[in-house]
């Protein structure tokens, strides 16, 4: 049996956390030989709800679950944590602009970055889920100077999963046939789901789906606006699929990437090979060594169409960074 891994989850009373906590505790993510300690954090008014979640986790009698801590303190939320899943964030309210949401959540991620810097384990890996996740990640990272920047990442795996599913549906293949799917840029409606470098059954997706109008139009728009479509249909934002994507993100880092495939993760853009300006958290295609470390996949060809899409999402991220300059 390996040493226990301590996983911190914020927003623990929310739907996304509720959908992922039990799967982490079961051993699904870190393996059947790795015990798990959970630290679950919420704002003070919802800590009572966390006590109920704790009781349910205990009642599952997971053999690998060792300790459960509930707290409303940032300092205690990350004490000794090896993984921090930063799910908690305020949703956009009526009439609220994206800039307003950035300011509201940015202050919270500043405090969390400071706490991670102070109390987390040296090998901490952080996954920022709460939106706007790219820039929230940038804020948190800016206030954790002792944590290496390559231990931070924001979630674009949900967008990758959505894109893989749509390509599978359109081509009549299975999701497992779809590989090399990249989400470039921001987790927003400017993201670029890269169908040009994707493959279906080992063949270029553009050959299997020989319909450029569909790929540039309906496909891209579907992925860019999928979250809004789910809210319209369900009345609530993505929860189970978001939680599943968080777990996929972590699994991709703790397992070595197989073959020539890759996965999408939003990471610090400094020194990247695709000309994205430094100082942004930008989604790239990456591979993992299975020890929590990643490297950007180099050498992918980007058409003029793709470059235009990358420029749009880059400009949005620069704008977001400017909007929170007082928090960096």
């Amino acid at each position: 049996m390996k040493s226990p891994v301590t996983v911190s989850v914020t927003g623990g009373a929310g739907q996304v956390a509720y959908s992922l906590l039990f799967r982490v505790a079961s051993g699904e993510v870190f393996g059947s030989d790795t015990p798990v300690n959970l630290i679950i954090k919420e704002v003070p008014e919802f800590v009572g709800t966390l006590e109920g979640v704790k009781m349910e986790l205990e009642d599952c009698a997971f053999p690998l679950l060792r300790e459960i801590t509930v707290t409303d303190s940032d300092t205690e939320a990350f004490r000794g944590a090896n993984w921090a899943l930063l799910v908690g964030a305020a949703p956009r309210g009526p009439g609220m602009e994206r800039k307003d949401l950035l300011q509201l959540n940015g202050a919270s991620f500043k405090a969390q970055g400071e706490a991670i810097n102070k109390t987390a384990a040296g090998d901490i890996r952080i996954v920022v889920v709460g939106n706007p996740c790219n820039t929230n990640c940038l804020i948190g990272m800016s206030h954790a100077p002792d944590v290496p920047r390559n231990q931070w990442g924001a979630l674009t795996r949900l967008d990758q999963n959505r894109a893989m599913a749509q390509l599978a549906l359109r081509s009549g293949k299975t999701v497992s046939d779809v590989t090399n799917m990249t989400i470039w840029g921001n987790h927003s409606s400017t993201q670029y789901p890269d169908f040009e470098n994707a493959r279906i059954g080992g063949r270029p997706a553009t050959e299997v789906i020989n319909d450029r109008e569909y790929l540039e139009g309906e496909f891209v728009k579907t992925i860019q606006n999928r979250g809004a479509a789910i809210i319209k249909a369900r009345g609530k934002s993505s929860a189970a699929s978001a939680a599943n994507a968080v777990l996929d993100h972590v699994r991709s880092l703790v397992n070595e990437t197989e073959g020539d495939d890759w996965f999408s993760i939003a990471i610090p853009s400094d020194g990247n090979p695709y000309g994205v300006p430094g100082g942004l958290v930008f989604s790239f295609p990456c591979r993992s060594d299975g020890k929590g470390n990643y490297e950007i996949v180099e050498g992918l060809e980007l058409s003029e169409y793709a470059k235009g899409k990358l420029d749009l999402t880059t400009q949005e991220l620069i704008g977001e960074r400017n909007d929170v300059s007082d928090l960096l």
Side-chain angles (χ1 to χ4, degrees), residues 130-190:
N131 286 316
C133 63
N134 294 58
T135 300
N136 284 340
C137 182
L138 179 64
I139 293 168
M141 184 173 63
S142 298
H143 294 277
D146 299 328
V147 178
R149 295 168 69 86
N150 62 2
Q151 293 176 200
W152 287 81
L155 186 73
T156 53
R157 185 55 174 268
L158 176 56
D159 307 301
Q160 176 189 327
N161 288 350
R162 288 167 169 169
M164 292 171 65
Q166 291 301 311
L167 290 179
L169 287 169
R170 184 73 178 192
S171 64
K173 303 294 184 179
T174 66
V175 171
S176 59
D177 291 320
V178 182
T179 60
N180 305 92
M181 185 68 228
T182 305
I183 302 296
W184 298 91
N186 201 4
H187 173 63
S188 76
S189 60
T190 68

Side-chain angles (χ1 to χ4, degrees), residues 186-316:
N186 201 4
H187 173 63
S188 76
S189 60
T190 68
Q191 64 177 266
Y192 172 49
D194 184 359
F195 57 83
E196 293 181 320
N197 282 297
R199 299 175 189 170
I200 302 174
R203 296 171 57 201
T206 51
E207 291 183 5
V208 178
I209 303 174
N210 187 20
D211 186 344
R212 189 81 187 191
E213 182 178 357
Y214 161 76
L215 291 168
E216 289 189 12
E218 182 181 340
F219 169 72
V220 169
K221 290 178 181 178
T222 294
I223 308 311
Q224 290 177 334
N225 299 296
R226 186 69 164 185
I230 289 171
I231 291 173
K232 182 178 180 180
R234 182 172 177 263
K236 297 178 181 179
S237 60
S238 306
S241 58
N244 184 70
V246 175
L247 303 184
D248 282 344
H249 176 119
V250 176
R251 273 192 293 260
S252 288
L253 289 171
V254 300
N255 293 285
E256 185 174 3
T257 307
E258 297 182 359
D260 65 351
D261 201 3
W262 57 71
F263 57 93
S264 299
I265 175 175
I267 57 175
S269 59
D270 302 2
N272 72 87
Y274 293 101
V276 177
L280 303 175
V281 172
F282 194 97
S283 185
F284 292 99
C286 292
R287 293 193 179 100
S288 171
D289 64 359
K291 300 177 182 178
N293 305 307
Y294 59 77
E295 63 179 9
I296 295 175
V297 177
E298 299 187 21
L300 298 186
E301 292 188 13
L302 296 174
S303 66
E304 290 304 312
Y305 168 81
K307 290 177 182 177
K309 293 295 186 182
L310 264 65
D311 183 63
L312 284 174
T313 196
T314 297
Q315 293 306 312
E316 181 181 53

